[in-house]
Amino acid sequence: MKRKNSGITLVILILIIAVIVMAAVIVVPYILSIPGRHRLSVNKSNARQARTLASDQYHQDVAAGNVTYKKNDKGEEVLDGYYWYDSTQDKIIHSDHLSGDAELPTDIDNWKIDTLDQTIRKVHYTLGTDIYRYWVVTFNKKGQPEIEVSVMKGDTYTEKGY
């Protein structure tokens, strides 16, 4: 009697499942990182806008003679005050002596999700966990911006609308 081979053998079935598992191992981490990368992108965009608008306001204040400087913790002379940018209103909302909670590098293009990696009051913050509402900018004596973010409660967007 001749036996007819029809269907999938166990070995082929195991190979197909292994290929599917390997594809999932490669693709799933990428898919799970998409929301964090989106939040990083929005934060970078908001920081650039904050820096631009704060620079404009700073130069107007310098021209009007409304600028004073103080020494910071590092002994550098910096602007005696901070420009607060509200990303929900897309404008500088005020100049204040209150700084942000977390200082960030000035080179925004090189920011990564973990560029901001701080725990404040038992809450962990990164640039990929939230979209931050308030960006704080000050300037050194040479007119170069220094960027901070306010990460305290109430200072982040909800994910709705994005």
Side-chain angles (χ1 to χ4, degrees):
M1 262 192 199
K2 268 191 166 180
R3 187 172 177 172
K4 187 177 177 184
N5 277 340
S6 63
I8 299 175
T9 65
L10 183 60
V11 172
I12 293 175
L13 183 61
I14 290 172
L15 286 174
I16 291 171
I17 291 171
V19 168
I20 291 170
V21 167
M22 291 299 292
V25 166
I26 293 169
V27 172
V28 168
Y30 177 78
I31 291 171
L32 293 177
S33 72
I34 290 173
R37 288 184 293 128
H38 167 74
R39 288 186 289 266
L40 171 64
S41 177
V42 172
N43 283 327
K44 288 169 86 172
S45 176
N46 288 339
R48 283 187 192 98
Q49 183 69 359
R51 182 181 59 194
T52 299
L53 293 177
S55 292
D56 291 346
Q57 185 63 48
Y58 169 74
H59 291 297
Q60 289 174 13
D61 290 347
V62 167
N66 298 333
V67 174
T68 59
Y69 296 92
K70 66 176 183 175
K71 289 202 182 229
N72 66 7
D73 298 340
K74 301 173 191 170
E76 304 165 329
E77 286 197 54
V78 294
L79 185 67
D80 187 19
Y82 299 87
Y83 296 100
W84 280 71
Y85 169 76
D86 184 341
S87 57
T88 61
Q89 298 180 35
D90 193 25
K91 65 180 185 177
I92 298 293
I93 53 172
H94 58 81
S95 178
D96 199 344
H97 291 285
L98 182 65
S99 69
D101 306 309
E103 189 173 333
L104 293 163
T106 56
D107 186 10
I108 297 170
D109 292 332
N110 288 327
W111 286 3
K112 296 184 176 19
I113 287 175
D114 61 351
T115 298
L116 168 67
D117 190 9
Q118 283 190 323
T119 301
I120 302 172
R121 296 185 186 163
K122 298 182 183 180
V123 178
H124 188 249
Y125 298 96
T126 70
L127 289 175
T129 54
D130 291 299
I131 297 173
Y132 300 105
R133 178 177 179 175
Y134 297 115
W135 293 86
V136 186
V137 182
T138 191
F139 294 86
N140 63 22
K141 188 82 172 188
K142 296 176 186 174
Q144 298 165 327
E146 295 179 9
I147 301 169
E148 298 178 359
V149 63
S150 181
V151 297
M152 300 305 286
K153 185 177 179 184
D155 290 348
T156 57
Y157 287 148
T158 60
E159 285 298 309
K160 296 174 187 166
Y162 282 96

